[in-house]
Amino acid sequence: MAHLGTGRGRLLALPAGLALTASLGLLPAAGASAAPLDEAPAAGTVAAATTTNGPKLSYVVNVTGGHSTVKAVKKAISEAGGTVVIAYDQIGVIVVHSQNPDFAKTIREVRGVKSAGATRTAPLAVQRTTDIAAEQPLSAKEARTAADRATDGQDPFEPLQWDLPAIKADKAHEKSLGSKKVTVAVLDTGVDDTHPDLAPNFDRAASANCVTGAPDTAEGSWRPGPTESDHGTHVAGTIAAAKNGVGVTGVAPGVKVSGIKVSNPDGFFYTESVVCGFVWAAEHGVEVTNNSYYVDPWMYTCKNDLDQGALVEALQRATRYAERKGAVNVAAAGNSRTDLASDEVTDKTSPNDTTPVERVVDPSECPDVPTMLDGVVTVSATGAKGLKASYSNYGHGVVDIAAPGGDSTAYQPPEAPATSGLILSTLPGGKYGYKGGTSMASPHVAGVAALIKSTRPHASPAEVKALLYKQADDMACTNPYDINGDGTVDAVCEGGKRDNGFYGTGMTDALDAVRR
């Protein structure tokens, strides 16, 4: 996902001007299935001569069975012209590189292989960096004004953070800032752990670079490069910027935050990187993961397509594993103004790493991942007036909960002293700035989940999610919804006051999270 605010944008944040990308469905390829197990050749019996002069692609191979099966499949992978990058035996997912154009077709025929597919449509290339759309920095005048308005106990720029009182985080902080024993992993573009608001709470042991599909723990590998997106650093600040008399305050300023870099320098979030991120988080005791992106190159990844279906399978295995190991997975609903509960949507943006084709899909069969994976908490965004943000995806039965993500100041202006309808947070290099998007809503919920886990350290992920939904403040549907006041209904909310398509179970509540 490259430039923010362009057709390729995969990060679920918007540039300061709130330029929105069109992001709708895709026509699934004709469904096909691998040969039944009893008809498939045994692992290690790939007989046909392999071709290794095609484009070098990355694949995930999903295996059924135990260690012996994985070992045999690895041998078959080699015989089919593949090179194993890493095998996640915990979930039966193997990351492979191959230049055999028939690799996926060949390996699907091997006994013990449930599914296999290419993770991208563009060949692997030497990584290169690209510029990103400019964000809206915090001005010196705003900073001075905010600092002058800050009361005792507030960080200097907290008066500009209208989002904290919107979820009662300011009141929650009077009772608890959260526990240092809780870590929220930010799976994103990287986190600048040298930022003065993040350094006190950064968990280096739970941080890594997963871009290749295998974890790299070299010092600073989790940081964004100088021309890479600042998105992950902004998200991290919303979750856990320290309450230290500097800058801004996070939703859970007493918990730890880690950075797991899962996007390459061009800004693409590929399956192998995201799988690595979830497994790394799971293996390092993370209690919450935040996921403010969708997995490239498909905005909607179709389960009945052989390649795409393998990606959904690998990602579902990874998120379930993280939850089994104790993590609550929270994800952004997306910025396409789309009803994810509808029978069909049109996607003109996928695949976004080569040439997009227009497709019509059913989101129930072609989910937006990871947000629509089973067990993941799906977060919609609201603006400063508490209405669904103009760009936010929605959907009854899909959206679980709502949180501030910001909106155009023209649509939903905040109350003074706040001046921007967007979300203020940390940026690399010790800076601060505004962003808007469901990317900014998701970390509010991740922060609240971290507060719940801090208050109830023995709660299971299922119990944390149940409390998250139970404690949310009910929000009735906004109908008619005409966010720009032009007389045209922009979206229709379905459901009742306690659970509906715009707000799910309601606005996330930080104060209830710290009440025992």
Side-chain angles (χ1 to χ4, degrees):
M1 89 145 259
H3 311 312
L4 299 183
T6 70
R8 293 175 62 195
R10 282 275 7 318
L11 296 172
L12 298 180
L14 304 169
L18 287 181
L20 300 171
T21 60
S23 45
L24 309 148
L26 59 109
L27 184 62
S33 59
L37 201 57
D38 57 0
E39 297 177 15
T45 60
V46 177
T50 59
T51 301
T52 57
N53 60 356
K56 187 176 183 180
L57 293 178
S58 181
Y59 298 83
V60 288
V61 178
N62 301 312
V63 179
T64 59
H67 180 74
S68 60
T69 303
V70 173
K71 183 178 180 181
V73 171
K74 287 180 183 177
K75 180 180 178 183
I77 286 170
S78 179
E79 293 176 354
T83 301
V84 173
V85 175
I86 190 169
Y88 292 106
D89 293 353
Q90 310 97 311
I91 58 174
V93 176
I94 305 173
V95 178
V96 179
H97 290 170
S98 180
Q99 288 183 262
N100 176 8
D102 293 324
F103 174 78
K105 179 181 178 182
T106 301
I107 208 67
R108 288 180 193 126
E109 299 295 322
V110 171
R111 181 174 295 132
V113 173
K114 180 177 182 181
S115 59
T119 67
R120 62 194 70 203
T121 60
L124 289 164
V126 176
Q127 300 294 348
R128 66 185 187 278
T129 58
T130 58
D131 294 329
I132 63 164
E135 303 301 334
Q136 180 179 316
L138 177 68
S139 71
K141 181 179 179 181
E142 282 183 298
R144 287 193 300 270
T145 301
D148 290 342
R149 299 286 288 271
T151 60
D152 290 344
Q154 283 191 318
D155 280 345
F157 304 154
E158 194 172 338
L160 301 176
Q161 294 182 267
W162 58 263
D163 49 308
L164 296 184
I167 63 170
K168 306 174 200 168
D170 54 338
K171 298 299 183 183
H173 296 164
E174 296 174 5
K175 296 180 175 293
S176 174
L177 302 180
S179 169
K180 295 291 185 188
K181 295 180 179 180
V182 173
T183 294
V184 181
V186 176
L187 278 65
D188 214 295
T189 63
V191 174
D192 179 8
D193 58 299
T194 69
H195 194 291
D197 250 344
L198 298 177
N201 291 339
F202 195 74
D203 187 342
R204 302 166 86 84
S207 299
N209 184 322
C210 272
V211 172
T212 66
D216 173 9
T217 58
E219 176 65 22
S221 63
W222 48 79
R223 297 171 191 149
T227 58
E228 293 181 300
S229 174
D230 53 13
H231 187 270
T233 302
H234 193 280
V235 166
T238 296
I239 295 167
K243 200 167 185 64
N244 56 355
V246 175
V248 296
T249 300
V251 172
V255 308
K256 293 287 188 180
V257 65
S258 74
I260 305 179
K261 191 174 182 178
V262 294
S263 75
N264 70 17
D266 286 338
F268 288 99
F269 292 71
Y270 286 119
T271 295
E272 65 269 29
S273 307
V274 176
V275 167
C276 169
F278 280 115
V279 174
W280 178 264
E283 298 291 355
H284 289 80
V286 165
E287 284 79 13
V288 183
T289 71
N290 186 83
N291 305 272
S292 293
Y293 57 88
Y294 71 80
V295 179
D296 296 296
W298 311 101
M299 179 165 286
Y300 299 93
T301 310
C302 293
K303 292 182 281 189
N304 62 348
D305 174 276
L306 289 178
D307 282 295
Q308 296 170 48
L311 310 187
V312 176
E313 172 73 19
L315 291 160
Q316 184 71 80
R317 290 185 182 192
T319 55
R320 283 176 173 159
Y321 181 69
E323 183 161 345
R324 287 200 304 272
K325 296 288 279 188
V328 175
N329 300 310
V330 181
N335 301 333
S336 307
R337 303 180 175 91
T338 299
D339 183 355
L340 296 176
S342 61
D343 293 335
E344 62 179 42
V345 295
T346 302
D347 177 20
K348 300 179 181 180
T349 68
S350 305
N352 62 4
D353 58 351
T354 48
T355 304
V357 294
E358 183 171 336
R359 308 183 292 175
V360 177
V361 300
D362 177 352
S364 67
E365 294 297 326
C366 300
D368 180 340
V369 292
T371 196
M372 291 179 72
L373 293 175
D374 291 344
V376 174
V377 178
T378 304
V379 185
S380 65
T382 59
K385 295 300 183 185
L387 303 176
K388 184 188 85 70
S390 56
Y391 53 80
S392 182
N393 285 352
Y394 56 102
H396 192 207
V398 177
V399 168
D400 294 310
I401 197 166
D407 203 351
S408 167
T409 308
Y411 297 162
Q412 300 194 59
E415 293 184 7
T419 57
S420 173
L422 306 185
I423 305 299
L424 180 64
S425 188
T426 48
L427 297 178
K431 298 177 182 178
Y432 300 87
Y434 293 96
K435 290 181 185 287
T438 55
S439 277
M440 283 59 257
S442 181
H444 285 82
V445 174
V448 172
L451 291 176
I452 293 174
K453 186 67 175 178
S454 298
T455 306
R456 300 167 177 80
H458 301 296
S460 68
E463 290 169 335
V464 172
K465 288 191 289 184
L467 286 168
L468 195 63
Y469 303 149
K470 180 181 179 181
Q471 294 172 353
D473 294 334
D474 293 346
M475 295 179 68
C477 272
T478 305
N479 283 321
Y481 177 78
D482 176 15
I483 194 65
N484 58 2
D486 66 355
T488 300
V489 172
D490 298 307
V492 176
C493 178
E494 297 181 347
K497 183 177 180 180
R498 304 194 67 168
D499 190 3
N500 59 64
F502 277 12
Y503 311 111
T505 52
M507 180 68 75
T508 194
D509 188 325
L511 181 56
D512 280 354
V514 298
R515 288 173 170 158
R516 294 185 182 277

